[in-house]
Amino acid sequence: MKNGLFGIAIAVAVGAAIAAGTSAFVVDPTRQALVLQFGQVKRAITESGLYFKVPFIQNVEYLDRRILDLDLESQEVIASDQKRLIVDAFARYRIADPVQFYQSVRTVQGGSQRLNTFTSSALRAVLADATFSSVVRDERAQLMDKIRQAVDIQAKTIGVDIIDVRMKRADLPAQNSQAIFQRMKTERQREATELRARGAEESQRIRSKSDADKEIILAEARRDSERLRGEGDAQRNRVFAEAFGRDPEFFAFYRSMQAYEQGLKAGDTRLVISPNSDFFRYFADPKGRPVGTAPAPSAAPAAAQ
């Protein structure tokens, strides 16, 4: 009898331990939990800690509390100015209402598929009303915020809050990019040709002005040099005239010495001239009297008489 009771006690203890082990569960800070009973949500747990459930009847589903990422596939969008764009985007979201999320999409994978549809639809709708330059440059941030608001409205129906929506890339298709590149290249070449033509014209104008300025400067320099040369010649002639007036004989002697220096240079010097020429008068008479002229009476005999 005692052995039977002891066995029953052990069985009860083991059953209680098993029941306690299957009824306790832990929710860590990165997750939130749903307690389900026969597939129906009995309660939602959004805080971390140790919790209990009815064993064998209730089970627990865990959902992430962290901010999740959603990468969208590349898609082609037509802007309002009929420009085609290839857009890559991503979204960041958080499960705000785990009960509604579970009842709507069940799993994170199902939620990602639904959000992918919402985001793609909002992306096409918003960018279709924007121009190419607005999407690529001018209003990109405002358009992203508008897309986020549109997706957030739809995401709330499945218990999700949209944190952000961003475009990673917004480019033209490859064939359009090549055509635009070729057009830009042609435009740059045309501008380069125009700038070269303007440069050549400006260069010719500057060169012509420089040549004209050079001729004017040279003409003024020649004018000034001729004027200075004339003033020098006049000064020289004045000096010579004054010297001639002071001592005509010395002036005549000096000019004769210059003529000898120029006419009787070393080398092949030939003169066809009469020996009685005035050219040689200083050879015959130191005073340079003309050849054949009788010398003046000496003053010494007169003084002796």
Side-chain angles (χ1 to χ4, degrees):
M1 184 68 178
K2 291 182 179 180
N3 291 335
L5 293 175
F6 182 72
I8 294 172
I10 292 175
V12 170
V14 171
I18 294 174
T22 57
S23 64
F25 63 95
V26 176
V27 179
D28 62 54
T30 63
R31 297 193 297 179
Q32 50 192 337
L34 294 175
V35 178
L36 307 178
Q37 182 173 326
F38 304 117
Q40 300 296 320
V41 178
K42 302 303 291 184
R43 58 176 172 151
I45 301 172
T46 58
E47 298 294 333
S48 60
L50 177 64
Y51 297 91
F52 295 92
K53 63 180 178 61
V54 178
F56 309 113
I57 297 177
Q58 295 179 341
N59 64 299
V60 179
E61 289 287 340
Y62 294 98
L63 298 174
D64 210 318
R65 292 182 61 192
R66 295 171 295 183
I67 294 176
L68 304 176
D69 294 330
L70 173 65
D71 281 326
L72 302 179
E73 296 181 356
S74 298
Q75 53 188 311
E76 184 174 314
V77 178
I78 299 178
S80 62
D81 50 3
Q82 302 305 309
K83 297 289 182 64
R84 297 168 58 199
L85 291 170
I86 301 298
V87 178
D88 283 340
F90 71 92
R92 303 176 68 197
Y93 68 95
R94 180 176 58 241
I95 300 174
D97 188 339
V99 175
Q100 188 176 8
F101 183 84
Y102 179 78
Q103 292 174 345
S104 301
V105 295
R106 296 289 179 179
T107 63
V108 172
Q109 182 179 2
S112 296
Q113 293 176 353
R114 188 75 64 86
L115 289 175
N116 196 325
T117 302
F118 294 160
T119 307
S120 298
S121 176
L123 191 71
R124 291 177 179 276
V126 172
L127 297 186
D129 293 332
T131 62
F132 172 76
S133 60
S134 298
V135 175
V136 175
R137 183 189 60 218
D138 298 336
E139 301 178 3
R140 188 162 181 163
Q142 294 88 330
L143 292 173
M144 289 298 93
D145 188 63
K146 190 174 181 180
I147 293 171
R148 185 196 65 77
Q149 294 176 9
V151 177
D152 190 55
I153 294 174
Q154 293 179 300
K156 287 187 183 303
T157 61
I158 61 172
V160 170
D161 286 342
I162 299 298
I163 306 301
D164 197 9
V165 176
R166 293 289 174 183
M167 283 191 297
K168 296 184 291 185
R169 180 175 68 98
D171 295 331
L172 292 169
Q175 60 272 24
N176 291 20
S177 299
Q178 186 63 29
I180 290 177
F181 171 76
Q182 191 61 37
R183 185 168 68 248
M184 292 173 63
K185 181 180 178 181
T186 303
E187 183 67 18
R188 297 294 86 78
Q189 289 176 343
R190 184 189 63 78
E191 292 180 359
T193 302
E194 183 179 353
L195 290 175
R196 290 193 189 97
R198 291 180 182 176
E201 180 183 358
E202 185 68 14
S203 173
Q204 185 62 35
R205 186 185 65 79
I206 294 174
R207 189 177 291 108
S208 299
K209 186 177 183 301
S210 299
D211 292 341
D213 293 342
K214 182 187 73 172
E215 292 299 328
I216 292 174
I217 292 172
L218 290 176
E220 291 178 350
R222 284 193 292 268
R223 180 198 63 193
D224 294 340
S225 67
E226 292 297 331
R227 179 177 57 79
L228 293 174
R229 186 177 292 108
E231 293 176 356
D233 290 343
Q235 183 70 11
R236 183 192 64 179
N237 293 334
R238 184 181 61 78
V239 172
F240 282 161
E242 290 179 355
F244 181 76
R246 291 179 182 178
D247 193 344
E249 292 182 1
F250 175 77
F251 184 75
F253 174 76
Y254 176 71
R255 296 299 299 269
S256 295
M257 293 301 104
Q258 287 182 329
Y260 294 155
E261 182 181 7
Q262 295 295 325
L264 302 176
K265 292 182 177 180
D268 187 13
T269 301
R270 298 180 183 183
L271 294 175
V272 181
I273 191 171
S274 172
N276 296 328
S277 173
D278 285 343
F279 185 76
F280 297 109
R281 60 181 176 172
Y282 282 99
F283 284 84
D285 185 359
K287 292 187 178 292
R289 287 185 290 267
V291 178
T293 304
S298 176
Q305 291 177 359

